[in-house]
Amino acid sequence: MCVPGACKYPADVAPFGGTADNSAASLRRLVSLLAPEETVYVMGDVPPGWPAGECYHALQMIAAGIPEGPLSRLELRVESDVSPVRLSAADADAMVELTTLAFPGFFRRRTCEMGAYYGIRIGGDLVAMAGERMAVPGYREISGVCTHPAHTGKGYAAKLIARLMQDHARAGLQSFLHVSAANERAIALYTRLGYWVRTEIRLHSVRGHAPENRALLNGGIQG
């Protein structure tokens, strides 16, 4: 959904929006696209005086290369008969349930339509997953990396990320990802997989036609 200077994903795909310049005028256009009480996140700072919302600090990391061989340092503990399987819209409920344990609200029922998703099932249950989200020329984002707490430390995330990175390399793409700046365990894993920090980013929440935004839609904040 778009208007001049602002766009957002459908609410059942992803809770993200974007503007031309994050000015008050552009953010007002974004608010006009939102349903009442709908929340989306925009990258970058918002103008002084904009209603305070949630702010997430994240790191944007880019892969220096692709994992070679079997990733023996990271995957020694993965059972030999455990292999990634391709996920589809039929797995949407299980994907949302799993990701809700790690980052509630960010993965939606149709997020899996944004790219390829792989998972690992144990006893029929989805216990780990990773997939693709944003795409820009020459680059593809790895996202939705999640392992059930009862199955961490087994190398599942490394195996899934490696599969995606190899897919990207075959397509001539460079992998990148975003991670919470406070998630030291994930950052350490990505670093071992050859990722480096390109920049730190901030995600600010923008709400729909909530009472505090009515003045904004009427031009209450200049810019």
Side-chain angles (χ1 to χ4, degrees), residues 45-116:
D45 293 323
V46 295
W50 191 266
E54 295 175 298
C55 179
Y56 289 96
H57 292 263
L59 303 179
Q60 184 179 86
M61 303 182 73
I62 295 181
I66 62 170
E68 300 293 342
L71 287 177
S72 58
R73 287 185 302 124
L74 299 173
E75 295 189 42
L76 285 174
R77 291 166 293 182
V78 179
E79 295 87 344
S80 60
D81 61 343
V82 173
S83 299
V85 295
R86 184 69 181 264
L87 302 176
S88 70
D91 302 293
D93 287 342
M95 297 167 79
V96 171
E97 181 179 355
L98 179 60
T99 55
T100 297
L101 297 174
F103 31 86
F106 280 90
F107 194 96
R108 306 292 173 82
R109 282 191 52 81
R110 292 180 57 208
T111 302
C112 58
E113 297 178 16
M114 298 180 75

Short mmCIF file of all heavy atoms in Angstrom, two decimals, residues 45-116:
data_model
loop_
_atom_site.label_atom_id
_atom_site.label_comp_id
_atom_site.label_asym_id
_atom_site.label_seq_id
_atom_site.Cartn_x
_atom_site.Cartn_y
_atom_site.Cartn_z
N ASP A 45 15.51 7.88 12.42
CA ASP A 45 14.95 8.77 13.44
C ASP A 45 13.66 9.42 12.97
O ASP A 45 13.39 9.52 11.76
CB ASP A 45 15.97 9.86 13.80
CG ASP A 45 17.19 9.30 14.50
OD1 ASP A 45 17.04 8.36 15.30
OD2 ASP A 45 18.31 9.79 14.24
N VAL A 46 12.85 9.86 13.93
CA VAL A 46 11.62 10.59 13.64
C VAL A 46 11.79 12.02 14.14
O VAL A 46 12.66 12.31 14.97
CB VAL A 46 10.41 9.91 14.31
CG1 VAL A 46 10.18 8.53 13.72
CG2 VAL A 46 10.60 9.81 15.82
N PRO A 47 10.99 12.97 13.66
CA PRO A 47 11.18 14.38 14.02
C PRO A 47 10.93 14.66 15.50
O PRO A 47 10.15 13.95 16.15
CB PRO A 47 10.14 15.11 13.16
CG PRO A 47 9.76 14.14 12.09
CD PRO A 47 9.90 12.79 12.69
N PRO A 48 11.57 15.65 16.05
CA PRO A 48 11.27 16.08 17.42
C PRO A 48 9.78 16.40 17.56
O PRO A 48 9.18 17.01 16.67
CB PRO A 48 12.13 17.33 17.60
CG PRO A 48 13.23 17.18 16.61
CD PRO A 48 12.62 16.49 15.43
N GLY A 49 9.19 15.96 18.66
CA GLY A 49 7.77 16.21 18.88
C GLY A 49 6.87 15.10 18.39
O GLY A 49 5.67 15.10 18.71
N TRP A 50 7.42 14.17 17.61
CA TRP A 50 6.60 13.04 17.17
C TRP A 50 6.25 12.18 18.38
O TRP A 50 7.10 11.96 19.24
CB TRP A 50 7.35 12.22 16.14
CG TRP A 50 6.49 11.20 15.46
CD1 TRP A 50 6.36 9.90 15.82
CD2 TRP A 50 5.63 11.41 14.34
NE1 TRP A 50 5.47 9.26 14.98
CE2 TRP A 50 5.00 10.17 14.07
CE3 TRP A 50 5.32 12.51 13.55
CZ2 TRP A 50 4.09 10.01 13.04
CZ3 TRP A 50 4.41 12.35 12.51
CH2 TRP A 50 3.81 11.12 12.26
N PRO A 51 5.01 11.70 18.50
CA PRO A 51 4.62 10.92 19.69
C PRO A 51 5.59 9.77 19.95
O PRO A 51 5.96 9.04 19.04
CB PRO A 51 3.23 10.39 19.32
CG PRO A 51 2.70 11.39 18.34
CD PRO A 51 3.89 11.85 17.55
N ALA A 52 6.00 9.67 21.19
CA ALA A 52 6.96 8.63 21.55
C ALA A 52 6.35 7.25 21.38
O ALA A 52 5.20 7.01 21.74
CB ALA A 52 7.41 8.82 23.00
N GLY A 53 7.10 6.36 20.80
CA GLY A 53 6.68 4.98 20.63
C GLY A 53 7.84 4.07 20.96
O GLY A 53 8.85 4.49 21.52
N GLU A 54 7.69 2.80 20.62
CA GLU A 54 8.77 1.86 20.85
C GLU A 54 9.94 2.17 19.93
O GLU A 54 9.76 2.61 18.80
CB GLU A 54 8.28 0.44 20.59
CG GLU A 54 7.20 -0.05 21.54
CD GLU A 54 6.71 -1.42 21.13
OE1 GLU A 54 6.18 -1.54 20.01
OE2 GLU A 54 6.87 -2.35 21.92
N CYS A 55 11.12 1.94 20.43
CA CYS A 55 12.32 2.11 19.62
C CYS A 55 13.20 0.88 19.82
O CYS A 55 13.57 0.56 20.96
CB CYS A 55 13.07 3.39 20.00
SG CYS A 55 14.60 3.64 19.05
N TYR A 56 13.50 0.19 18.75
CA TYR A 56 14.36 -0.98 18.80
C TYR A 56 15.72 -0.64 18.19
O TYR A 56 15.80 -0.04 17.11
CB TYR A 56 13.75 -2.14 18.02
CG TYR A 56 12.54 -2.76 18.68
CD1 TYR A 56 11.25 -2.38 18.32
CD2 TYR A 56 12.69 -3.72 19.67
CE1 TYR A 56 10.14 -2.95 18.92
CE2 TYR A 56 11.59 -4.30 20.28
CZ TYR A 56 10.32 -3.91 19.90
OH TYR A 56 9.22 -4.46 20.51
N HIS A 57 16.77 -1.04 18.88
CA HIS A 57 18.13 -0.86 18.37
C HIS A 57 18.57 -2.18 17.76
O HIS A 57 18.49 -3.24 18.41
CB HIS A 57 19.08 -0.43 19.48
CG HIS A 57 18.80 0.95 19.99
ND1 HIS A 57 19.48 2.06 19.56
CD2 HIS A 57 17.87 1.40 20.88
CE1 HIS A 57 19.01 3.14 20.17
NE2 HIS A 57 18.03 2.76 20.97
N ALA A 58 19.03 -2.13 16.54
CA ALA A 58 19.44 -3.34 15.84
C ALA A 58 20.74 -3.11 15.09
O ALA A 58 21.14 -1.97 14.83
CB ALA A 58 18.34 -3.78 14.86
N LEU A 59 21.39 -4.22 14.78
CA LEU A 59 22.60 -4.17 13.96
C LEU A 59 22.26 -4.74 12.59
O LEU A 59 21.56 -5.75 12.47
CB LEU A 59 23.71 -5.01 14.59
CG LEU A 59 24.13 -4.64 16.01
CD1 LEU A 59 25.24 -5.58 16.48
CD2 LEU A 59 24.59 -3.19 16.10
N GLN A 60 22.77 -4.08 11.57
CA GLN A 60 22.69 -4.62 10.22
C GLN A 60 24.03 -5.28 9.91
O GLN A 60 25.07 -4.63 9.97
CB GLN A 60 22.39 -3.53 9.20
CG GLN A 60 22.18 -4.05 7.79
CD GLN A 60 21.87 -2.92 6.81
OE1 GLN A 60 22.77 -2.29 6.28
NE2 GLN A 60 20.58 -2.66 6.60
N MET A 61 23.99 -6.58 9.62
CA MET A 61 25.21 -7.34 9.39
C MET A 61 25.21 -7.92 7.98
O MET A 61 24.17 -8.34 7.47
CB MET A 61 25.34 -8.46 10.43
CG MET A 61 25.32 -7.98 11.88
SD MET A 61 25.54 -9.31 13.11
CE MET A 61 27.28 -9.70 12.90
N ILE A 62 26.38 -7.91 7.37
CA ILE A 62 26.54 -8.40 5.99
C ILE A 62 27.56 -9.52 5.98
O ILE A 62 28.58 -9.46 6.67
CB ILE A 62 26.99 -7.26 5.06
CG1 ILE A 62 25.88 -6.19 4.97
CG2 ILE A 62 27.31 -7.78 3.67
CD1 ILE A 62 26.22 -5.04 4.04
N ALA A 63 27.28 -10.54 5.18
CA ALA A 63 28.19 -11.68 5.09
C ALA A 63 29.41 -11.32 4.26
O ALA A 63 29.29 -10.74 3.17
CB ALA A 63 27.48 -12.87 4.48
N ALA A 64 30.58 -11.66 4.77
CA ALA A 64 31.81 -11.42 4.04
C ALA A 64 32.00 -12.43 2.92
O ALA A 64 32.73 -12.19 1.96
CB ALA A 64 33.00 -11.46 4.99
N GLY A 65 31.38 -13.58 3.04
CA GLY A 65 31.50 -14.63 2.03
C GLY A 65 30.40 -15.65 2.25
O GLY A 65 29.36 -15.34 2.81
N ILE A 66 30.64 -16.88 1.83
CA ILE A 66 29.66 -17.94 2.07
C ILE A 66 30.33 -19.06 2.84
O ILE A 66 31.54 -19.28 2.71
CB ILE A 66 29.07 -18.49 0.76
CG1 ILE A 66 30.16 -19.13 -0.11
CG2 ILE A 66 28.34 -17.41 0.00
CD1 ILE A 66 29.61 -19.90 -1.28
N PRO A 67 29.57 -19.77 3.68
CA PRO A 67 30.16 -20.88 4.42
C PRO A 67 30.65 -21.97 3.46
O PRO A 67 29.97 -22.31 2.50
CB PRO A 67 29.00 -21.39 5.29
CG PRO A 67 28.03 -20.26 5.33
CD PRO A 67 28.17 -19.56 4.01
N GLU A 68 31.82 -22.48 3.68
CA GLU A 68 32.38 -23.53 2.83
C GLU A 68 32.25 -24.89 3.53
O GLU A 68 32.30 -24.99 4.75
CB GLU A 68 33.86 -23.25 2.54
CG GLU A 68 34.09 -21.92 1.81
CD GLU A 68 33.54 -21.92 0.40
OE1 GLU A 68 33.29 -23.02 -0.13
OE2 GLU A 68 33.33 -20.83 -0.15
N GLY A 69 32.12 -25.93 2.73
CA GLY A 69 32.09 -27.27 3.27
C GLY A 69 30.92 -27.50 4.21
O GLY A 69 29.89 -26.87 4.13
N PRO A 70 31.10 -28.43 5.14
CA PRO A 70 30.00 -28.79 6.03
C PRO A 70 29.88 -27.92 7.27
O PRO A 70 29.13 -28.24 8.18
CB PRO A 70 30.36 -30.23 6.44
CG PRO A 70 31.85 -30.21 6.45
CD PRO A 70 32.27 -29.30 5.31
N LEU A 71 30.63 -26.82 7.33
CA LEU A 71 30.60 -25.97 8.52
C LEU A 71 30.90 -26.81 9.77
O LEU A 71 30.20 -26.73 10.77
CB LEU A 71 29.24 -25.29 8.68
CG LEU A 71 28.92 -24.15 7.72
CD1 LEU A 71 27.52 -23.64 7.98
CD2 LEU A 71 29.90 -23.01 7.84
N SER A 72 31.96 -27.60 9.70
CA SER A 72 32.21 -28.59 10.75
C SER A 72 32.33 -27.95 12.13
O SER A 72 31.92 -28.53 13.12
CB SER A 72 33.48 -29.38 10.42
OG SER A 72 34.59 -28.50 10.28
N ARG A 73 32.87 -26.73 12.21
CA ARG A 73 33.03 -26.12 13.53
C ARG A 73 31.69 -25.84 14.18
O ARG A 73 31.58 -25.79 15.40
CB ARG A 73 33.81 -24.81 13.40
CG ARG A 73 35.29 -24.98 13.12
CD ARG A 73 35.99 -23.64 13.13
NE ARG A 73 35.41 -22.74 12.14
CZ ARG A 73 34.92 -21.53 12.42
NH1 ARG A 73 34.91 -21.10 13.67
NH2 ARG A 73 34.45 -20.76 11.48
N LEU A 74 30.66 -25.62 13.37
CA LEU A 74 29.38 -25.20 13.91
C LEU A 74 28.33 -26.30 13.91
O LEU A 74 27.35 -26.22 14.62
CB LEU A 74 28.84 -24.01 13.08
CG LEU A 74 29.73 -22.76 13.10
CD1 LEU A 74 29.17 -21.75 12.12
CD2 LEU A 74 29.80 -22.18 14.49
N GLU A 75 28.54 -27.34 13.10
CA GLU A 75 27.47 -28.31 12.92
C GLU A 75 27.80 -29.71 13.43
O GLU A 75 27.08 -30.66 13.17
CB GLU A 75 27.11 -28.40 11.44
CG GLU A 75 26.51 -27.10 10.91
CD GLU A 75 25.94 -27.28 9.50
OE1 GLU A 75 25.31 -28.32 9.27
OE2 GLU A 75 26.15 -26.41 8.67
N LEU A 76 28.86 -29.86 14.17
CA LEU A 76 29.23 -31.19 14.65
C LEU A 76 28.13 -31.83 15.46
O LEU A 76 27.99 -33.06 15.47
CB LEU A 76 30.52 -31.10 15.48
CG LEU A 76 31.82 -30.89 14.68
CD1 LEU A 76 32.97 -30.68 15.65
CD2 LEU A 76 32.09 -32.07 13.76
N ARG A 77 27.32 -31.00 16.14
CA ARG A 77 26.30 -31.56 17.02
C ARG A 77 24.97 -31.81 16.33
O ARG A 77 24.02 -32.26 16.94
CB ARG A 77 26.11 -30.62 18.21
CG ARG A 77 27.29 -30.59 19.15
CD ARG A 77 27.19 -29.41 20.09
NE ARG A 77 27.32 -28.16 19.37
CZ ARG A 77 27.30 -26.96 19.94
NH1 ARG A 77 27.15 -26.86 21.24
NH2 ARG A 77 27.44 -25.87 19.22
N VAL A 78 24.87 -31.51 15.03
CA VAL A 78 23.63 -31.74 14.32
C VAL A 78 23.55 -33.21 13.91
O VAL A 78 24.44 -33.74 13.27
CB VAL A 78 23.54 -30.85 13.06
CG1 VAL A 78 22.25 -31.13 12.32
CG2 VAL A 78 23.60 -29.38 13.46
N GLU A 79 22.46 -33.86 14.27
CA GLU A 79 22.29 -35.26 13.92
C GLU A 79 22.35 -35.43 12.41
O GLU A 79 21.85 -34.59 11.65
CB GLU A 79 20.94 -35.79 14.45
CG GLU A 79 20.83 -35.82 15.97
CD GLU A 79 20.35 -34.50 16.56
OE1 GLU A 79 20.41 -33.49 15.83
OE2 GLU A 79 19.94 -34.49 17.72
N SER A 80 22.94 -36.51 11.93
CA SER A 80 23.16 -36.69 10.51
C SER A 80 21.86 -36.77 9.72
O SER A 80 21.84 -36.47 8.53
CB SER A 80 23.99 -37.96 10.26
OG SER A 80 23.32 -39.10 10.77
N ASP A 81 20.78 -37.22 10.35
CA ASP A 81 19.53 -37.37 9.64
C ASP A 81 18.64 -36.14 9.73
O ASP A 81 17.48 -36.17 9.32
CB ASP A 81 18.77 -38.60 10.14
CG ASP A 81 18.42 -38.50 11.63
OD1 ASP A 81 19.03 -37.67 12.32
OD2 ASP A 81 17.54 -39.25 12.08
N VAL A 82 19.16 -35.05 10.29
CA VAL A 82 18.39 -33.81 10.40
C VAL A 82 18.78 -32.91 9.24
O VAL A 82 19.93 -32.48 9.13
CB VAL A 82 18.66 -33.10 11.74
CG1 VAL A 82 17.99 -31.74 11.75
CG2 VAL A 82 18.15 -33.95 12.88
N SER A 83 17.83 -32.62 8.38
CA SER A 83 18.09 -31.79 7.21
C SER A 83 17.01 -30.73 7.07
O SER A 83 15.85 -30.96 7.44
CB SER A 83 18.13 -32.64 5.93
OG SER A 83 19.16 -33.60 5.99
N PRO A 84 17.36 -29.55 6.56
CA PRO A 84 16.35 -28.52 6.34
C PRO A 84 15.30 -28.98 5.33
O PRO A 84 15.61 -29.69 4.36
CB PRO A 84 17.17 -27.35 5.77
CG PRO A 84 18.57 -27.61 6.22
CD PRO A 84 18.71 -29.10 6.22
N VAL A 85 14.05 -28.60 5.58
CA VAL A 85 12.97 -28.86 4.64
C VAL A 85 12.38 -27.52 4.22
O VAL A 85 12.38 -26.56 4.98
CB VAL A 85 11.88 -29.76 5.26
CG1 VAL A 85 12.44 -31.13 5.58
CG2 VAL A 85 11.29 -29.12 6.52
N ARG A 86 11.91 -27.45 3.00
CA ARG A 86 11.31 -26.22 2.50
C ARG A 86 9.93 -26.04 3.13
O ARG A 86 9.12 -26.98 3.16
CB ARG A 86 11.19 -26.28 0.98
CG ARG A 86 10.67 -25.00 0.33
CD ARG A 86 11.66 -23.86 0.42
NE ARG A 86 11.13 -22.66 -0.18
CZ ARG A 86 11.37 -22.28 -1.45
NH1 ARG A 86 12.17 -23.04 -2.21
NH2 ARG A 86 10.87 -21.18 -1.93
N LEU A 87 9.68 -24.86 3.66
CA LEU A 87 8.40 -24.55 4.27
C LEU A 87 7.52 -23.80 3.27
O LEU A 87 8.01 -23.19 2.32
CB LEU A 87 8.61 -23.71 5.53
CG LEU A 87 9.47 -24.34 6.63
CD1 LEU A 87 9.68 -23.37 7.78
CD2 LEU A 87 8.85 -25.64 7.13
N SER A 88 6.21 -23.82 3.52
CA SER A 88 5.26 -23.16 2.63
C SER A 88 4.16 -22.51 3.45
O SER A 88 4.16 -22.56 4.69
CB SER A 88 4.66 -24.18 1.66
OG SER A 88 3.79 -25.07 2.35
N ALA A 89 3.20 -21.93 2.74
CA ALA A 89 2.07 -21.29 3.42
C ALA A 89 1.31 -22.28 4.29
O ALA A 89 0.68 -21.88 5.27
CB ALA A 89 1.14 -20.66 2.39
N ALA A 90 1.39 -23.57 3.98
CA ALA A 90 0.72 -24.57 4.79
C ALA A 90 1.33 -24.67 6.18
O ALA A 90 0.70 -25.19 7.11
CB ALA A 90 0.78 -25.94 4.10
N ASP A 91 2.56 -24.17 6.34
CA ASP A 91 3.25 -24.21 7.63
C ASP A 91 3.12 -22.89 8.39
O ASP A 91 3.77 -22.70 9.42
CB ASP A 91 4.74 -24.50 7.42
CG ASP A 91 4.98 -25.81 6.69
OD1 ASP A 91 4.67 -26.86 7.27
OD2 ASP A 91 5.45 -25.77 5.54
N ALA A 92 2.30 -21.97 7.89
CA ALA A 92 2.25 -20.61 8.45
C ALA A 92 1.93 -20.60 9.94
O ALA A 92 2.56 -19.87 10.72
CB ALA A 92 1.25 -19.76 7.68
N ASP A 93 0.97 -21.40 10.37
CA ASP A 93 0.60 -21.40 11.79
C ASP A 93 1.79 -21.84 12.66
O ASP A 93 2.07 -21.23 13.71
CB ASP A 93 -0.59 -22.33 12.04
CG ASP A 93 -1.90 -21.75 11.53
OD1 ASP A 93 -1.96 -20.53 11.30
OD2 ASP A 93 -2.85 -22.52 11.33
N ALA A 94 2.49 -22.88 12.24
CA ALA A 94 3.63 -23.37 13.01
C ALA A 94 4.76 -22.35 13.02
O ALA A 94 5.46 -22.18 14.03
CB ALA A 94 4.12 -24.70 12.44
N MET A 95 4.94 -21.63 11.90
CA MET A 95 5.99 -20.62 11.81
C MET A 95 5.70 -19.45 12.74
O MET A 95 6.59 -18.95 13.44
CB MET A 95 6.15 -20.16 10.36
CG MET A 95 6.58 -21.27 9.42
SD MET A 95 6.42 -20.83 7.66
CE MET A 95 7.86 -19.82 7.45
N VAL A 96 4.45 -19.00 12.74
CA VAL A 96 4.07 -17.89 13.62
C VAL A 96 4.22 -18.31 15.08
O VAL A 96 4.72 -17.55 15.92
CB VAL A 96 2.63 -17.43 13.33
CG1 VAL A 96 2.16 -16.44 14.39
CG2 VAL A 96 2.55 -16.79 11.94
N GLU A 97 3.80 -19.53 15.40
CA GLU A 97 3.90 -20.02 16.78
C GLU A 97 5.35 -20.07 17.24
O GLU A 97 5.68 -19.66 18.36
CB GLU A 97 3.28 -21.41 16.88
CG GLU A 97 3.31 -22.00 18.29
CD GLU A 97 2.66 -23.37 18.37
OE1 GLU A 97 2.09 -23.83 17.35
OE2 GLU A 97 2.72 -23.99 19.45
N LEU A 98 6.26 -20.51 16.36
CA LEU A 98 7.67 -20.61 16.74
C LEU A 98 8.30 -19.24 16.89
O LEU A 98 8.98 -18.96 17.89
CB LEU A 98 8.42 -21.43 15.69
CG LEU A 98 9.92 -21.62 15.92
CD1 LEU A 98 10.19 -22.32 17.25
CD2 LEU A 98 10.54 -22.40 14.76
N THR A 99 8.08 -18.36 15.93
CA THR A 99 8.71 -17.04 15.99
C THR A 99 8.16 -16.19 17.12
O THR A 99 8.86 -15.30 17.62
CB THR A 99 8.56 -16.28 14.66
OG1 THR A 99 7.17 -16.21 14.30
CG2 THR A 99 9.32 -16.98 13.54
N THR A 100 6.92 -16.45 17.53
CA THR A 100 6.35 -15.69 18.64
C THR A 100 7.14 -15.90 19.93
O THR A 100 7.15 -15.02 20.81
CB THR A 100 4.87 -16.07 18.84
OG1 THR A 100 4.13 -15.71 17.67
CG2 THR A 100 4.26 -15.35 20.04
N LEU A 101 7.83 -17.02 20.04
CA LEU A 101 8.65 -17.26 21.23
C LEU A 101 9.84 -16.31 21.28
O LEU A 101 10.33 -15.97 22.36
CB LEU A 101 9.17 -18.71 21.22
CG LEU A 101 8.12 -19.81 21.30
CD1 LEU A 101 8.79 -21.18 21.14
CD2 LEU A 101 7.37 -19.73 22.62
N ALA A 102 10.32 -15.88 20.11
CA ALA A 102 11.54 -15.06 20.06
C ALA A 102 11.27 -13.59 19.81
O ALA A 102 11.85 -12.73 20.46
CB ALA A 102 12.48 -15.61 18.98
N PHE A 103 10.40 -13.29 18.85
CA PHE A 103 10.13 -11.89 18.52
C PHE A 103 8.64 -11.75 18.18
O PHE A 103 8.27 -11.67 17.01
CB PHE A 103 11.01 -11.40 17.35
CG PHE A 103 11.37 -12.46 16.35
CD1 PHE A 103 10.54 -12.75 15.28
CD2 PHE A 103 12.57 -13.14 16.45
CE1 PHE A 103 10.87 -13.72 14.34
CE2 PHE A 103 12.92 -14.12 15.52
CZ PHE A 103 12.06 -14.40 14.47
N PRO A 104 7.80 -11.73 19.21
CA PRO A 104 6.35 -11.70 18.99
C PRO A 104 5.91 -10.51 18.17
O PRO A 104 6.37 -9.39 18.37
CB PRO A 104 5.78 -11.66 20.41
CG PRO A 104 6.91 -11.20 21.28
CD PRO A 104 8.15 -11.70 20.64
N GLY A 105 5.03 -10.77 17.21
CA GLY A 105 4.41 -9.71 16.43
C GLY A 105 5.12 -9.36 15.15
O GLY A 105 4.52 -8.74 14.27
N PHE A 106 6.37 -9.75 14.98
CA PHE A 106 7.10 -9.34 13.79
C PHE A 106 6.90 -10.31 12.62
O PHE A 106 7.06 -9.93 11.47
CB PHE A 106 8.60 -9.19 14.09
CG PHE A 106 8.92 -7.90 14.76
CD1 PHE A 106 8.92 -7.79 16.15
CD2 PHE A 106 9.22 -6.78 14.02
CE1 PHE A 106 9.21 -6.59 16.77
CE2 PHE A 106 9.51 -5.56 14.63
CZ PHE A 106 9.50 -5.47 16.01
N PHE A 107 6.60 -11.57 12.91
CA PHE A 107 6.37 -12.54 11.85
C PHE A 107 4.88 -12.77 11.74
O PHE A 107 4.22 -13.10 12.72
CB PHE A 107 7.11 -13.85 12.16
CG PHE A 107 7.20 -14.79 10.98
CD1 PHE A 107 8.32 -14.80 10.18
CD2 PHE A 107 6.15 -15.66 10.69
CE1 PHE A 107 8.40 -15.67 9.09
CE2 PHE A 107 6.22 -16.52 9.60
CZ PHE A 107 7.35 -16.53 8.80
N ARG A 108 4.34 -12.62 10.54
CA ARG A 108 2.90 -12.71 10.33
C ARG A 108 2.58 -13.94 9.45
O ARG A 108 3.46 -14.59 8.90
CB ARG A 108 2.39 -11.44 9.67
CG ARG A 108 2.77 -10.14 10.43
CD ARG A 108 2.06 -10.04 11.75
NE ARG A 108 2.50 -8.93 12.56
CZ ARG A 108 2.06 -7.66 12.45
NH1 ARG A 108 1.21 -7.33 11.49
NH2 ARG A 108 2.49 -6.73 13.27
N ARG A 109 1.30 -14.22 9.28
CA ARG A 109 0.89 -15.41 8.54
C ARG A 109 1.39 -15.41 7.09
O ARG A 109 1.66 -16.47 6.52
CB ARG A 109 -0.63 -15.56 8.55
CG ARG A 109 -1.20 -16.09 9.84
CD ARG A 109 -2.67 -16.46 9.67
NE ARG A 109 -2.89 -17.34 8.54
CZ ARG A 109 -2.69 -18.66 8.56
NH1 ARG A 109 -2.25 -19.24 9.66
NH2 ARG A 109 -2.92 -19.38 7.48
N ARG A 110 1.52 -14.24 6.47
CA ARG A 110 1.95 -14.20 5.07
C ARG A 110 3.40 -13.76 4.91
O ARG A 110 3.86 -13.57 3.79
CB ARG A 110 1.04 -13.26 4.28
CG ARG A 110 -0.40 -13.76 4.12
CD ARG A 110 -1.23 -12.75 3.32
NE ARG A 110 -0.63 -12.50 2.03
CZ ARG A 110 -0.77 -11.34 1.35
NH1 ARG A 110 -1.49 -10.35 1.88
NH2 ARG A 110 -0.20 -11.17 0.18
N THR A 111 4.14 -13.65 6.01
CA THR A 111 5.55 -13.28 5.89
C THR A 111 6.30 -14.29 5.03
O THR A 111 7.22 -13.92 4.28
CB THR A 111 6.21 -13.19 7.28
OG1 THR A 111 5.50 -12.23 8.08
CG2 THR A 111 7.66 -12.77 7.18
N CYS A 112 5.90 -15.55 5.10
CA CYS A 112 6.60 -16.59 4.34
C CYS A 112 6.49 -16.38 2.83
O CYS A 112 7.24 -17.01 2.07
CB CYS A 112 6.08 -17.97 4.72
SG CYS A 112 4.31 -18.21 4.47
N GLU A 113 5.58 -15.50 2.38
CA GLU A 113 5.46 -15.22 0.96
C GLU A 113 6.58 -14.31 0.45
O GLU A 113 6.74 -14.14 -0.76
CB GLU A 113 4.11 -14.57 0.66
CG GLU A 113 2.91 -15.45 0.96
CD GLU A 113 1.59 -14.75 0.70
OE1 GLU A 113 1.60 -13.70 0.02
OE2 GLU A 113 0.55 -15.24 1.18
N MET A 114 7.38 -13.76 1.36
CA MET A 114 8.41 -12.81 0.96
C MET A 114 9.67 -13.50 0.42
O MET A 114 10.55 -12.84 -0.12
CB MET A 114 8.77 -11.91 2.15
CG MET A 114 7.61 -11.07 2.64
SD MET A 114 8.03 -9.99 4.03
CE MET A 114 8.97 -8.72 3.19
N GLY A 115 9.76 -14.81 0.57
CA GLY A 115 10.94 -15.50 0.06
C GLY A 115 10.92 -16.97 0.44
O GLY A 115 9.89 -17.52 0.85
N ALA A 116 12.07 -17.61 0.30
CA ALA A 116 12.19 -19.03 0.65
C ALA A 116 12.40 -19.19 2.14
O ALA A 116 13.18 -18.46 2.75
CB ALA A 116 13.37 -19.65 -0.10
#
